[in-house]
Amino acid sequence: MIGRNRVVITGLGVLAANGIGKDAFWRTLLAGESGIGPITQFETTDFKSRIAGEVSNFVPENFMNGRVKARRLSRNVQLGAKAALLAVEDSGLNPEDLRRAEPLPIIIGISLGGFDHIENQILRVSKLGPNKLVPHAVEGCIHLAAASLIGAILNVETELCTISNSCVGGLDSIARGAQIIREGKADICICGATEAPIVPSAMAGFCAAGMVSTNNDNPKLASRPFDISRDGGVLAEGSGIVVLESLDHAMSRNKAPYAEVLGYGTSRDLNVGISGNGLKMSMRKALANSSLMPREIDAIFAHGPSDQILDVSESILITDCFGDHAYRIPVTSIKGVTGNPLAAGGAHQTIACSLSMKANCIPPTANHKFPDPDCLLDYVPDSPRHLCVDKVLINSHGSGAMNSSLIIGSAS
């Protein structure tokens, strides 16, 4: 990324099916403990897929302190606000630090956004008529709602941006924040993504498209990235927020960063599916943007959604991009544990990658037991891999044939 400032990650906030907070998230990733289970948010009797990755034990009223009524907010907004508070707390930034950063950039990625709120209001109109719509109906479902609430809770002047780029929105938001800091336009930026797509209409759509697993009897084993027995991904909710700072700013307050943002690339598939080359192009652009050679990448955090086509496609394109080195790179997917939380997936991967660099350990690809013969890479099966993790590439693919790749490196 061209610019004068180095950009580092100093705070991590995460809510996922496998845990709330970085410690629970990391512990379950290392153990391969899936957070996927039966859907509890609505009746699923007539659905082909009745499982998802839900965030358990989340009570938004516990952190909003009456400032905003939780029931007026879509669930993705609630999740995003909590993740942002966790990230700021983890960064050690105090209210005065945030005020000095005004206007503080807040950049949030989404895919479906406030789908639950929209669906509820449509049902209300259908049942009760147009005169019974509540006043907050529109405000509660706008795409900017998550970023706006984060600014309100932090109580500082902000610059808000929402990136609605389907599942790549999480990586895109982090890349956008890094560029702002690199260009000297800000010292601090709050970035990430938040999603809550577990609603009847969204689930029905994913079922109709054949994109989700129907392994309802064994939900914890349903998401099986790169495994021959996979029958689809698992829809999930969650939020991942990171605090970005210029390295100079972090050093001025003696904050040790988790990692440094090195480069980014994005590209649309020319042909959707296994023949598409957009992901190969995004990886190559990220390498060039980081001034790195393929052999300098120590690990890849793959998109790996447990999809029958996309897993093969990603494996092939990694091989095309990295050549013989591809067979020596550990490639892991965390979606066996988290499910697929759409735009939040890339943010979750970035958080997992940052923790990997601190621990010098790569989490395993959960449920990867029987390798697909068309997926020939090292997918870190069974147990964590302990090795020096210095530079890592993160992949994300989204509906609309979008692809993004981010490279982060050790900040030591």
Side-chain angles (χ1 to χ4, degrees), residues 286-351:
L287 288 165
N289 196 222
S290 308
S291 298
L292 294 174
M293 298 295 290
R295 64 176 179 273
E296 296 180 86
I297 298 298
D298 300 308
I300 294 174
F301 277 64
H303 177 61
S306 188
D307 183 87
Q308 292 171 312
I309 295 176
L310 293 177
D311 285 11
V312 173
S313 178
E314 184 171 14
S315 299
I316 291 172
L317 295 173
I318 288 172
T319 305
D320 287 349
C321 180
F322 285 86
D324 290 342
H325 184 56
Y327 301 102
R328 296 187 289 271
I329 306 175
V331 178
T332 189
S333 169
I334 65 173
K335 290 187 175 70
V337 170
T338 65
N340 185 0
L342 308 183
H348 283 171
Q349 290 165 259
T350 302
I351 291 170

Side-chain angles (χ1 to χ4, degrees), residues 272-295:
V272 179
I274 198 166
S275 61
N277 65 352
L279 185 61
K280 179 171 68 175
M281 182 62 69
S282 73
M283 288 188 286
R284 286 181 171 176
K285 289 172 68 174
L287 288 165
N289 196 222
S290 308
S291 298
L292 294 174
M293 298 295 290
R295 64 176 179 273

Side-chain angles (χ1 to χ4, degrees), residues 148-195:
S148 182
L149 180 62
I150 292 168
I153 289 178
L154 294 178
N155 195 30
V156 294
E157 295 291 336
T158 58
E159 295 179 355
L160 304 181
C161 178
T162 296
I163 298 180
S164 182
N165 275 6
S166 72
C167 295
V168 303
L171 288 190
D172 289 356
S173 69
I174 295 169
R176 174 75 174 271
Q179 192 63 45
I180 289 172
I181 294 174
R182 197 174 300 277
E183 293 174 352
K185 296 177 180 177
D187 286 320
I188 304 170
C189 190
I190 295 174
C191 310
T194 185
E195 293 281 8

Side-chain angles (χ1 to χ4, degrees), residues 346-358:
H348 283 171
Q349 290 165 259
T350 302
I351 291 170
C353 188
S354 299
L355 294 169
S356 288
M357 289 188 168
K358 280 293 186 183

